[in-house]
Amino acid sequence: MTTVLWILIFITTFCIMEFMAWFTHKYVMHGFLWKLHKDHHHKNHGSWWERNDYFFLFYALVSISCFLGWSYFGFWAGLPIGLGIFAYGLAYFFVHDIFIHQRFKLFRNANNWYARAIRRAHKIHHKHLGKEKGECFGMLFPPLKYFKK
């Protein structure tokens, strides 16, 4: 396996994860598992932990499965795929939980064009308190219209 192919698989996996996050958010979180995601839109709970936080466990298990496939079964692509999923999860955590929702008080003063677009898109998403009529379900690649304001 060449290094270029390994890097290509890693980057492709990372990008596919944005689609998977969008798809899962739109059709699973705002669909049949709304009960787990609802507390993220309705901040009427007294806990730092949200039921919505369970969703990260699913992708963590998929990433770990890829690592296990690489380590124990010789599935060489499991390493770059697992790392791509992990890297996206880490980016999602920093952007969504730390930067946008300020679960840890970091990156509070970030105000560049990308940071403003991410905040705008997420704010539009959260203006809908119900599971229907949502928009902006992705995370790292907001629609272009949010860069123009």
Side-chain angles (χ1 to χ4, degrees):
M1 184 203 54
T2 67
T3 303
V4 173
L5 182 58
W6 193 95
I7 292 170
L8 183 63
I9 291 171
F10 171 82
I11 291 170
T12 300
T13 300
F14 185 93
C15 293
I16 288 171
M17 285 305 297
E18 175 70 2
F19 169 76
M20 291 304 299
W22 172 87
F23 182 87
T24 303
H25 193 178
K26 183 169 181 154
Y27 295 108
V28 176
M29 294 177 182
H30 283 257
F32 65 94
L33 288 180
W34 173 248
K35 287 186 180 210
L36 288 179
H37 186 60
K38 182 179 179 180
D39 69 340
H40 182 66
H41 284 265
H42 299 269
K43 299 293 184 184
N44 58 357
H45 52 85
S47 174
W48 181 82
W49 179 264
E50 299 175 351
R51 286 182 307 241
N52 181 67
D53 294 330
Y54 285 111
F55 286 108
F56 93 90
L57 291 174
F58 171 76
Y59 287 112
L61 290 173
V62 173
S63 180
I64 290 167
S65 296
C66 291
F67 293 139
L68 292 174
W70 165 72
S71 181
Y72 291 105
F73 302 107
F75 176 55
W76 67 266
L79 182 59
I81 292 170
L83 287 173
I85 295 168
F86 172 76
Y88 184 85
L90 194 60
Y92 191 98
F93 175 73
F94 275 100
V95 170
H96 183 262
D97 291 333
I98 295 177
F99 174 66
I100 293 173
H101 288 290
Q102 290 291 301
R103 289 177 90 172
F104 301 99
K105 304 304 179 197
L106 302 168
F107 311 120
R108 299 179 97 177
N109 298 323
N111 197 26
N112 59 54
W113 63 275
Y114 179 71
R116 287 190 303 271
I118 292 282
R119 278 192 195 116
R120 283 185 197 118
H122 205 73
K123 187 174 184 174
I124 292 299
H125 176 73
H126 275 270
K127 81 176 186 176
H128 302 285
L129 297 178
K131 72 183 212 177
E132 289 87 18
K133 299 183 183 176
E135 52 187 298
C136 299
F137 292 97
M139 177 53 53
L140 299 179
F141 307 125
L144 289 176
K145 68 182 180 179
Y146 296 104
F147 288 98
K148 296 177 183 175
K149 293 184 178 184

